[in-house]
Amino acid sequence: MTGTVPPLAIAPSRPSAASAMANGSVVAASSAREVARAWECFAAGEDIEAGVRPEILASWYRCRDQYEVDRKLDVAPAARADVQRVDTGVIFTALGGLGALTGRQVERDDAVVTVTDGDGRVLGAWGDPTAQRRAELHNLAPWSSWSEQCTGTNGMGTSFEVSGPVTVTGPEHWCEAFHQWSCAGISIRDVVTGSPVASINISRWNASLSTSVPSWLTKSVACIEQEIYRRAVHEADKVVSEFRKKCSRISGPFMAMDRGGKVIAANEAALRHLGLPDEPPIVAAAIEPAERWAPDITGLPDVVRWAMDQAQGSEEWTGYACLPVSPGEDATPLTMRPVVDSNHVVGMLCILGVQEGEPYVGTSQAPASPLPQRVIGMRNDRLVLLAPSEIRYAEADRNIVWLVTERGRIQAATRGLDNVERMLTSYGFRRVHRRFLVNLRRVAELERGIKGELFLIMDPRSHEVVPVSRRHAPELRRMLGV
């Protein structure tokens, strides 16, 4: 592990139990009581919009409506034994070292440090022995599961759902049994897939945490994030090298993708086929993760995940899927071949128009939970509840999604445009660009560009414009009847 871990002071002095932290800092007891009252109302099925931080209220909605977590739960469940994840040995070695070092620092403050994998499974715990024994009463110990799905709102599980550090104190926890704990956690994400791979959390019984803890967490995991970034660049180098070796032997559309299904490199035939003749970073190879292109091909992320799973342990594996590469046209076969480095699949080579190997069989299962009648957004210190009809369009800024509404521009509580799309498709929303999802009922005008480009005017008063990608234009015209 590289870098220096900053010094940490959990709390300069031990405050009374009545002094709880409701927004990342120590607040008066009246604020803690306000949160407790709000929690009771919400748990009883009453909607609230004030008195609770938006990220906490969004978590409560997930716990009640999506995960159906029992708020009487007093012990975290054991983690599933069949959880399998890609190799992250270097990351967990660094994280374990950080956890052990932090544990020595917080021992004098009666605190516990825990680290988890990306599923919320606790891998290690350090700190004050008395605090650890108390934590073990709630199964805050190795091989227990602290994801939101299993244990409700808490520092580790909720950090997987938000960006940056999160504090959860007292009655902000979904389960009553945890109301005397203060905790702060931060997740560490894979720069390629955007999914969490680990988290680190600090918990304290019957006392608040210092306001410096969230910033300390951010600085402390920076060295681990640097290792993840370095590994992503190394993987891209390997994928590009394999792509270039095979490029001369493949005349048709051919591209190389990372583990998350983003294109690192493509030949001219693939760029033409995908309608992207002017993508210089892809032509030159997008080694930097931020420069990679996410193809707007329905079902491709699922196919890449399937191919990654099937190819593990078999460098010679080949598989294919038939996907609608061009809207309105027959599905195109895509053959996947793994790129392997040190016995791990680090990317995929994709040949368009070729059908070889194991066939992909998609799932037709219905969604596990009903589609929402309201969409949760966050603005300033409030949670905003939106009817789908209020949203004109959604715009992605990497994993952050912005909802453009009559009430202004509001950040969606759900991360990832693909996830927002799944929620809103049944309400008349359609993807028109890799960064834009549009409510077709709110399209006011269409405009053509000088080169034949198509733009949607969502609000004529402010000339609010959404671009339409060339591959989506024919299907969009058909749906709008123009």
Side-chain angles (χ1 to χ4, degrees):
M1 183 177 70
T2 60
T4 302
V5 178
L8 171 65
I10 294 295
S13 60
R14 188 176 185 85
S16 66
S19 179
M21 182 174 66
N23 60 0
S25 58
V26 179
V27 296
S30 60
S31 296
R33 286 195 295 270
E34 186 179 37
V35 173
R37 285 195 299 269
W39 181 87
E40 290 290 349
C41 291
F42 189 88
E46 302 174 20
D47 288 338
I48 58 174
E49 296 189 34
V52 182
R53 289 180 292 141
E55 61 267 32
I56 297 298
L57 192 51
S59 174
W60 289 0
Y61 271 102
R62 289 191 295 269
C63 294
R64 186 187 70 180
D65 301 335
Q66 184 176 352
Y67 304 140
E68 298 181 346
V69 179
D70 181 3
R71 61 191 180 97
K72 298 296 183 182
L73 184 75
D74 60 358
V75 175
R80 297 198 332 264
D82 61 343
V83 174
Q84 295 181 353
R85 301 189 67 85
V86 298
D87 176 66
T88 49
V90 174
I91 296 169
F92 288 137
T93 298
L95 192 59
L98 175 60
L101 177 61
T102 307
R104 290 196 295 271
Q105 292 188 45
V106 305
E107 186 171 342
R108 64 181 181 275
D109 296 303
D110 303 332
V112 177
V113 178
T114 49
V115 299
T116 78
D117 64 13
D119 293 303
R121 177 175 55 177
V122 176
L123 302 177
W126 301 266
D128 174 64
T130 301
Q132 282 190 267
R133 287 193 292 272
R134 185 181 293 278
E136 288 170 358
L137 296 176
H138 300 293
N139 211 11
L140 182 56
W143 312 117
S144 59
S145 181
W146 284 80
S147 64
E148 270 195 355
Q149 295 95 319
C150 293
T151 320
T153 308
N154 70 88
M156 291 164 284
T158 304
S159 74
F160 294 145
E161 309 281 351
V162 301
S163 299
V166 60
T167 58
V168 181
T169 300
E172 291 183 331
H173 289 87
W174 177 248
C175 297
E176 290 180 271
F178 310 144
H179 281 191
Q180 285 185 273
W181 285 96
S182 297
C183 58
I186 190 169
S187 65
I188 301 162
R189 295 182 179 272
D190 187 333
V191 71
V192 175
T193 65
S195 60
V197 296
S199 76
I200 183 167
N201 179 82
I202 298 174
S203 301
R204 201 169 184 226
W205 171 264
N206 229 20
S208 62
L209 293 170
S210 166
T211 56
S212 66
V213 170
S215 61
W216 182 90
L217 288 170
T218 301
K219 294 175 183 177
S220 296
V221 301
C223 55
I224 301 173
E225 291 171 340
Q226 289 171 4
E227 172 59 29
I228 294 174
Y229 175 84
R230 186 203 63 76
R231 189 175 68 169
V233 171
H234 171 78
E235 289 177 353
D237 280 330
K238 177 67 175 179
V239 173
V240 170
S241 176
E242 291 299 311
F243 171 80
R244 288 173 175 163
K245 286 179 185 177
K246 293 177 171 58
C247 233
S248 60
R249 302 197 297 267
I250 298 175
S251 58
F254 181 46
M255 60 187 184
M257 295 183 293
D258 63 20
R259 291 180 289 105
K262 292 185 178 179
V263 177
I264 300 176
N267 64 8
E268 292 183 5
L271 292 175
R272 287 195 303 269
H273 194 80
L274 296 170
L276 291 166
D278 301 315
E279 291 285 339
I282 305 303
V283 174
I287 301 299
E288 289 290 327
E291 294 180 350
R292 300 171 194 175
W293 175 68
D296 193 6
I297 301 175
T298 303
L300 182 60
D302 292 332
V303 170
V304 173
R305 282 191 290 269
W306 165 78
M308 293 286 299
D309 290 338
Q310 297 300 106
Q312 293 296 337
S314 177
E315 190 171 354
E316 303 302 320
W317 179 89
T318 300
Y320 73 91
C322 294
L323 297 177
V325 174
S326 300
E329 297 182 4
D330 293 339
T332 300
L334 291 81
T335 290
M336 301 284 182
R337 295 175 181 169
V339 178
V340 178
D341 183 39
S342 301
N343 296 319
H344 297 287
V345 180
V346 296
M348 284 285 162
L349 300 180
C350 178
I351 309 172
L352 286 74
V354 174
Q355 184 172 303
E356 294 178 356
E358 180 182 349
Y360 167 74
V361 179
T363 176
S364 59
Q365 294 179 347
S369 58
L371 291 168
Q373 295 182 352
R374 290 178 297 180
V375 179
I376 302 173
M378 298 184 294
R379 181 167 59 188
N380 299 327
D381 294 328
R382 292 190 175 186
L383 201 70
V384 183
L385 304 181
L386 297 161
S389 59
E390 293 182 78
I391 303 170
R392 293 197 292 274
Y393 66 91
E395 180 179 0
D397 179 8
R398 298 193 180 182
N399 268 343
I400 302 298
V401 179
W402 294 96
L403 307 174
V404 179
T405 75
E406 298 294 342
R407 292 191 257 173
R409 190 175 172 90
I410 298 169
Q411 182 180 335
T414 299
R415 292 170 61 91
L417 191 60
D418 289 342
N419 295 327
V420 174
E421 181 180 10
R422 279 192 286 271
M423 288 196 300
L424 294 175
T425 295
S426 66
Y427 295 98
F429 284 74
R430 290 295 181 272
R431 193 77 160 258
V432 298
H433 188 279
R434 62 192 178 97
R435 290 182 51 233
F436 291 94
L437 180 70
V438 165
N439 184 348
L440 296 183
R441 297 184 177 93
R442 301 297 301 272
V443 177
E445 299 175 5
L446 278 74
E447 182 179 288
R448 286 184 178 277
I450 298 175
K451 297 182 180 180
E453 310 98 317
L454 187 63
F455 300 94
L456 303 179
I457 310 301
M458 306 304 296
D459 185 354
R461 297 168 299 180
S462 59
H463 200 68
E464 189 176 73
V465 178
V466 172
V468 179
S469 65
R470 278 172 286 185
R471 66 178 304 270
H472 281 293
E475 179 70 6
L476 184 65
R477 290 192 188 96
R478 185 190 66 78
M479 298 182 73
L480 293 176
V482 296

